[in-house]
């Protein structure tokens, strides 16, 4: 693998000092090691100078995202935003289609009170015959035909009677 060394070299190290004195020694050591031959070897091996930079507590660091560059982070945010926008648009289209279908069904099968029907049903047979006639007419005639409401009332009455 090309550039294997570049991918395996550590870029950050978190060092915890037990007390403030050890931290101060490390800071002063950074200034003192400039001419040390071991430091020159380290500098040649890793290609960078050693720096001690105070940081936040280790519990506040998200270590798994240290390799993500700001550009990658921005691209991920853009992709996530576009995906969410697409899904919201798709769900809005689905809801509009369902609402349109519901309105079309209400035009065909109006939700009217059964007591307002202009018919006087004396027997269940006449009621059943009228409901079947209404269903056949709806089934065979496409277009702007609206049910008389007998079919819906029959279905509601049948459900009330027989469960």
């Amino acid at each position: 693998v090309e550039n294997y060394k570049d991918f395996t070299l550590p870029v950050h190290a978190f060092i915890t000092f037990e007390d403030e004195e050890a931290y101060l020694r490390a800071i002063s050591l950074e200034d003192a090691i400039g001419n040390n031959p071991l430091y020159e070897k380290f500098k040649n091996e890793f290609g960078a100078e050693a720096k001690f930079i105070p940081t936040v507590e280790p519990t506040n660091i998200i270590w798994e995202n240290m390799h993500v560059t700001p550009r990658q982070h921005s691209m991920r945010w853009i992709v996530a935003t576009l995906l969410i926008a697409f899904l919201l648009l798709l769900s809005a289209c689905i809801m509009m289609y369902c609402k349109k279908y519901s309105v079309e069904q209400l035009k065909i099968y109006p939700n009217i009170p059964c007591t307002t029907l202009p018919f006087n049903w004396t027997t269940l047979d006449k009621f059943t015959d009228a409901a079947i006639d209404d269903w056949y007419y709806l089934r065979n005639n496409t277009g702007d035909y609206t049910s008389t409401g007998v079919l819906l009332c029959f279905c509601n009455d049948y459900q009330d009677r027989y469960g």
Side-chain angles (χ1 to χ4, degrees):
V1 174
E2 282 187 44
N3 302 330
Y4 178 75
K5 186 176 178 183
D6 292 339
F7 289 113
T8 58
L9 283 177
V11 292
H12 295 91
F14 188 85
I15 302 171
T16 304
F17 297 103
E18 288 189 28
D19 52 29
E20 185 71 20
E21 182 184 354
Y23 169 70
L24 294 174
R25 282 187 182 182
I27 296 295
S28 65
L29 180 66
E30 183 180 352
D31 297 330
I33 62 173
N35 296 326
N36 189 323
L38 288 175
Y39 179 67
E40 288 300 320
K41 183 179 178 185
F42 171 83
K43 193 172 169 184
N44 290 335
E45 180 69 25
F46 292 105
E49 296 182 12
K51 295 180 185 177
F52 290 97
I53 302 171
T55 186
V56 295
E57 291 294 319
T59 57
N60 296 337
I61 298 173
I62 303 173
W63 292 101
E64 64 266 11
N65 290 326
M66 293 291 288
H67 67 285
V68 178
T69 65
R71 187 171 195 274
Q72 290 173 326
H73 181 66
S74 297
M75 290 304 294
R76 288 179 182 182
W77 184 84
I78 289 170
V79 168
T81 302
L82 290 175
L83 181 64
I84 290 170
F86 172 74
L87 291 175
L88 283 172
L89 182 64
L90 180 66
S91 66
C93 290
I94 290 171
M95 285 188 276
M96 288 174 53
Y97 173 78
C98 290
K99 183 63 177 176
K100 180 182 172 193
Y101 181 77
S102 174
V103 168
E104 288 172 358
Q105 292 303 309
L106 276 176
K107 286 180 183 176
I108 297 172
Y109 303 104
N111 193 7
I112 59 173
C114 294
T115 56
T116 62
L117 287 176
F119 310 109
N120 183 12
W121 308 110
T122 54
T123 66
L124 183 62
D125 292 335
K126 288 184 180 180
F127 194 32
T128 305
D129 291 341
I132 291 172
D133 289 343
D134 197 23
W135 182 79
Y136 274 121
Y137 192 82
L138 286 172
R139 183 172 166 250
N140 295 329
N141 295 307
T142 57
D144 292 335
Y145 178 73
T146 301
S147 170
T148 58
V150 177
L151 183 60
L152 181 66
C153 291
F154 174 77
C155 291
N156 290 338
D157 184 58
Y158 191 86
Q159 185 176 11
D160 290 343
R161 288 181 194 218
Y162 304 109

